[in-house]
Amino acid sequence: MTDRRATPATPRIALASLQGVLEAPAWTNGSPARIAAPLADLLATPSGARDRQVLFGDRVTVIEHYQGFGFVMAAKDSYCGWVAEAALGPDIAPTHRIAAPATHLYRAPKLSTPDVCTLSFGARLTIAAEHERFAETHDGFFVPRAHIAPAEETEADAVTVAELFLGTPYLWGGNSRAGIDCSGLVQAALLACGVECPGDSDQQREALGHLVPSHGPFQRGDLFFWPGHVAMAVDDQRLIHANGFRAATTHEGIETCIARIEAQGEGPLLCVKRL
């Protein structure tokens, strides 16, 4: 059985790259687009449940338009799902990314002017000009220069990135500073450091790193996997994770976390992996 999250196909049409892999009534090369909304849910079905989220400026391939939604494959991780057509805009290459936990777009280069929207860490912008304290986007909005970095520039430490999200409320399928889940936190941290990372924890467990002993010693950046959950080591004693227990992104002791999750009936630690 194919994994719908990783299969760029609907019952009506499939991406041409799948020819010879599966059968489809029709084929398409898809069309490039970008996310033009500050944040958009990536849905399992049109009007269905949220699987993940995509950020402003994320590039996607649109495979089908159907019932007011577009079926897309995200460029950053090849995750497939449905987004509202209103969230899609013309494809344009980003020049910069948001490097602060969150920021605002403004209508003028002044903090007292009305803001247009809030953007999360990792959102992508195309900057047309830079002024003293603000950068101007290609569509005439302004963002504080202190909150952006060149799109190709990567962060040095995934844990430091993850800690930007401390206190962020937990949100199932969330990928932003407004709300994030365990795998969204790990993905945000690793992508910012130039490490390819799938969207969901089971995919991450399969794709990332190599196994290390589950009894330690642990290193900064080690990934801990449970059924449906992932966390990242801060050091040999603590980890950081977006968790439902605290309904937020928090630090927690490694031994305490392992015992608590098992005591709650959510399963034992499956493995620890090191990049």
Side-chain angles (χ1 to χ4, degrees):
M1 180 180 292
T2 58
D3 184 343
R4 63 173 175 78
R5 302 168 299 175
T7 306
T10 75
R12 294 162 294 278
I13 195 165
L15 203 61
S17 61
L18 292 177
Q19 286 182 314
V21 177
L22 54 76
E23 295 183 0
W27 303 96
T28 179
N29 290 322
S31 56
R34 69 179 177 91
I35 301 302
L39 184 65
D41 287 340
L42 193 59
L43 308 174
T45 61
S47 301
R50 176 177 57 236
D51 274 338
R52 298 241 52 89
Q53 292 179 315
V54 278
L55 305 176
F56 186 89
D58 277 347
R59 303 177 89 177
V60 298
T61 298
V62 182
I63 296 157
E64 183 184 26
H65 291 276
Y66 184 72
Q67 296 182 344
F69 291 84
F71 185 74
V72 306
M73 180 173 67
K76 65 183 179 184
D77 59 4
S78 297
Y79 207 107
C80 298
W82 296 88
V83 297
E85 285 183 334
L88 296 171
D91 183 41
I92 183 168
T95 61
H96 290 74
R97 59 182 177 85
I98 303 301
T103 193
H104 301 291
L105 282 185
Y106 294 92
R107 298 188 184 278
K110 190 175 181 181
L111 293 176
S112 60
T113 58
D115 59 292
V116 178
C117 65
T118 300
L119 297 179
S120 175
F121 178 91
R124 303 272 162 163
L125 299 171
T126 303
I127 299 300
E130 296 197 32
H131 308 287
E132 182 179 0
R133 294 178 57 199
F134 285 82
E136 185 175 356
T137 67
H138 74 287
D139 46 2
F141 298 119
F142 297 86
V143 62
R145 287 184 61 184
H147 291 174
I148 63 174
E152 70 279 2
E153 183 180 285
T154 57
E155 302 291 338
D157 178 60
V159 175
T160 300
V161 175
E163 290 179 327
L164 293 175
F165 289 86
L166 282 169
T168 298
Y170 182 87
L171 181 68
W172 181 274
N175 280 83
S176 82
R177 186 64 172 85
I180 201 162
D181 70 4
C182 63
S183 58
L185 180 69
V186 167
Q187 186 186 58
L190 294 183
L191 290 181
C193 294
V195 178
E196 292 185 4
C197 182
D200 288 339
S201 63
D202 62 322
Q203 298 171 318
Q204 293 169 355
R205 186 175 72 245
E206 179 69 24
L208 297 174
H210 62 276
L211 292 170
V212 297
S214 296
H215 53 75
F218 305 117
Q219 294 181 10
R220 186 176 176 88
D222 285 350
L223 298 176
F224 294 73
F225 290 98
W226 291 264
H229 189 61
V230 60
M232 180 179 289
V234 174
D235 51 39
D236 187 42
Q237 301 297 319
R238 296 181 304 148
L239 50 74
I240 183 171
H241 59 155
N243 62 93
F245 182 67
R246 298 294 183 191
T249 297
T250 63
H251 288 129
E252 189 171 3
I254 291 174
E255 291 185 3
T256 299
C257 184
I258 292 172
R260 176 182 60 76
I261 289 177
E262 187 160 8
Q264 289 174 183
E266 297 175 19
L269 180 68
L270 296 177
C271 65
V272 180
K273 302 192 79 174
R274 183 167 297 159
L275 300 180

PDB file of all heavy atoms in Angstrom, residues 262-274:
ATOM      1  N   GLU A 262       5.761   6.131  29.176  1.00  0.00           N
ATOM      2  CA  GLU A 262       5.381   4.723  29.307  1.00  0.00           C
ATOM      3  C   GLU A 262       4.285   4.560  30.358  1.00  0.00           C
ATOM      4  O   GLU A 262       3.338   3.795  30.156  1.00  0.00           O
ATOM      5  CB  GLU A 262       6.590   3.872  29.659  1.00  0.00           C
ATOM      6  CG  GLU A 262       6.298   2.385  29.644  1.00  0.00           C
ATOM      7  CD  GLU A 262       7.530   1.517  29.525  1.00  0.00           C
ATOM      8  OE1 GLU A 262       8.652   2.054  29.597  1.00  0.00           O
ATOM      9  OE2 GLU A 262       7.365   0.289  29.351  1.00  0.00           O
ATOM     10  N   ALA A 263       4.378   5.308  31.463  1.00  0.00           N
ATOM     11  CA  ALA A 263       3.365   5.217  32.515  1.00  0.00           C
ATOM     12  C   ALA A 263       2.001   5.699  32.031  1.00  0.00           C
ATOM     13  O   ALA A 263       0.961   5.226  32.502  1.00  0.00           O
ATOM     14  CB  ALA A 263       3.802   6.020  33.733  1.00  0.00           C
ATOM     15  N   GLN A 264       2.005   6.640  31.091  1.00  0.00           N
ATOM     16  CA  GLN A 264       0.750   7.139  30.527  1.00  0.00           C
ATOM     17  C   GLN A 264       0.123   6.160  29.545  1.00  0.00           C
ATOM     18  O   GLN A 264      -0.973   6.412  29.027  1.00  0.00           O
ATOM     19  CB  GLN A 264       1.001   8.475  29.808  1.00  0.00           C
ATOM     20  CG  GLN A 264       1.298   9.627  30.746  1.00  0.00           C
ATOM     21  CD  GLN A 264       1.688  10.901  30.016  1.00  0.00           C
ATOM     22  OE1 GLN A 264       1.998  11.894  30.646  1.00  0.00           O
ATOM     23  NE2 GLN A 264       1.702  10.886  28.695  1.00  0.00           N
ATOM     24  N   GLY A 265       0.816   5.056  29.259  1.00  0.00           N
ATOM     25  CA  GLY A 265       0.289   4.062  28.351  1.00  0.00           C
ATOM     26  C   GLY A 265       0.514   4.378  26.890  1.00  0.00           C
ATOM     27  O   GLY A 265      -0.145   3.795  26.019  1.00  0.00           O
ATOM     28  N   GLU A 266       1.455   5.286  26.622  1.00  0.00           N
ATOM     29  CA  GLU A 266       1.705   5.691  25.235  1.00  0.00           C
ATOM     30  C   GLU A 266       2.858   4.923  24.597  1.00  0.00           C
ATOM     31  O   GLU A 266       3.288   5.251  23.495  1.00  0.00           O
ATOM     32  CB  GLU A 266       1.959   7.197  25.188  1.00  0.00           C
ATOM     33  CG  GLU A 266       0.759   7.997  25.648  1.00  0.00           C
ATOM     34  CD  GLU A 266       1.023   9.485  25.734  1.00  0.00           C
ATOM     35  OE1 GLU A 266       1.999   9.951  25.114  1.00  0.00           O
ATOM     36  OE2 GLU A 266       0.264  10.180  26.428  1.00  0.00           O
ATOM     37  N   GLY A 267       3.360   3.926  25.301  1.00  0.00           N
ATOM     38  CA  GLY A 267       4.359   3.049  24.713  1.00  0.00           C
ATOM     39  C   GLY A 267       5.760   3.303  25.221  1.00  0.00           C
ATOM     40  O   GLY A 267       6.071   4.385  25.744  1.00  0.00           O
ATOM     41  N   PRO A 268       6.629   2.315  25.072  1.00  0.00           N
ATOM     42  CA  PRO A 268       8.019   2.456  25.490  1.00  0.00           C
ATOM     43  C   PRO A 268       8.827   3.240  24.461  1.00  0.00           C
ATOM     44  O   PRO A 268       8.388   3.439  23.323  1.00  0.00           O
ATOM     45  CB  PRO A 268       8.501   1.010  25.556  1.00  0.00           C
ATOM     46  CG  PRO A 268       7.707   0.326  24.473  1.00  0.00           C
ATOM     47  CD  PRO A 268       6.353   0.980  24.508  1.00  0.00           C
ATOM     48  N   LEU A 269       9.995   3.682  24.865  1.00  0.00           N
ATOM     49  CA  LEU A 269      10.928   4.287  23.920  1.00  0.00           C
ATOM     50  C   LEU A 269      11.290   3.262  22.858  1.00  0.00           C
ATOM     51  O   LEU A 269      11.698   2.134  23.177  1.00  0.00           O
ATOM     52  CB  LEU A 269      12.189   4.747  24.665  1.00  0.00           C
ATOM     53  CG  LEU A 269      13.275   5.414  23.830  1.00  0.00           C
ATOM     54  CD1 LEU A 269      12.809   6.772  23.314  1.00  0.00           C
ATOM     55  CD2 LEU A 269      14.560   5.566  24.653  1.00  0.00           C
ATOM     56  N   LEU A 270      11.127   3.631  21.593  1.00  0.00           N
ATOM     57  CA  LEU A 270      11.420   2.700  20.502  1.00  0.00           C
ATOM     58  C   LEU A 270      12.894   2.659  20.159  1.00  0.00           C
ATOM     59  O   LEU A 270      13.466   1.589  19.949  1.00  0.00           O
ATOM     60  CB  LEU A 270      10.609   3.078  19.256  1.00  0.00           C
ATOM     61  CG  LEU A 270       9.101   2.993  19.357  1.00  0.00           C
ATOM     62  CD1 LEU A 270       8.461   3.481  18.053  1.00  0.00           C
ATOM     63  CD2 LEU A 270       8.673   1.561  19.660  1.00  0.00           C
ATOM     64  N   CYS A 271      13.523   3.841  20.082  1.00  0.00           N
ATOM     65  CA  CYS A 271      14.920   3.899  19.685  1.00  0.00           C
ATOM     66  C   CYS A 271      15.448   5.312  19.885  1.00  0.00           C
ATOM     67  O   CYS A 271      14.689   6.263  20.045  1.00  0.00           O
ATOM     68  CB  CYS A 271      15.132   3.455  18.234  1.00  0.00           C
ATOM     69  SG  CYS A 271      14.347   4.537  17.000  1.00  0.00           S
ATOM     70  N   VAL A 272      16.773   5.423  19.855  1.00  0.00           N
ATOM     71  CA  VAL A 272      17.466   6.712  19.837  1.00  0.00           C
ATOM     72  C   VAL A 272      18.339   6.715  18.600  1.00  0.00           C
ATOM     73  O   VAL A 272      19.046   5.751  18.325  1.00  0.00           O
ATOM     74  CB  VAL A 272      18.316   6.913  21.101  1.00  0.00           C
ATOM     75  CG1 VAL A 272      19.017   8.273  21.053  1.00  0.00           C
ATOM     76  CG2 VAL A 272      17.450   6.804  22.352  1.00  0.00           C
ATOM     77  N   LYS A 273      18.309   7.813  17.850  1.00  0.00           N
ATOM     78  CA  LYS A 273      19.085   7.888  16.621  1.00  0.00           C
ATOM     79  C   LYS A 273      19.955   9.145  16.642  1.00  0.00           C
ATOM     80  O   LYS A 273      19.573  10.176  17.189  1.00  0.00           O
ATOM     81  CB  LYS A 273      18.184   7.859  15.393  1.00  0.00           C
ATOM     82  CG  LYS A 273      17.308   6.590  15.336  1.00  0.00           C
ATOM     83  CD  LYS A 273      16.631   6.411  14.010  1.00  0.00           C
ATOM     84  CE  LYS A 273      17.565   5.834  12.964  1.00  0.00           C
ATOM     85  NZ  LYS A 273      16.850   5.516  11.698  1.00  0.00           N
ATOM     86  N   ARG A 274      21.110   9.021  16.034  1.00  0.00           N
ATOM     87  CA  ARG A 274      22.095  10.127  16.005  1.00  0.00           C
ATOM     88  C   ARG A 274      22.375  10.469  14.552  1.00  0.00           C
ATOM     89  O   ARG A 274      22.627   9.594  13.708  1.00  0.00           O
ATOM     90  CB  ARG A 274      23.367   9.703  16.721  1.00  0.00           C
ATOM     91  CG  ARG A 274      24.452  10.785  16.820  1.00  0.00           C
ATOM     92  CD  ARG A 274      25.515  10.335  17.832  1.00  0.00           C
ATOM     93  NE  ARG A 274      24.930  10.204  19.175  1.00  0.00           N
ATOM     94  CZ  ARG A 274      25.474   9.464  20.135  1.00  0.00           C
ATOM     95  NH1 ARG A 274      26.595   8.780  19.936  1.00  0.00           N
ATOM     96  NH2 ARG A 274      24.899   9.406  21.340  1.00  0.00           N
TER      97      ARG A 274
END
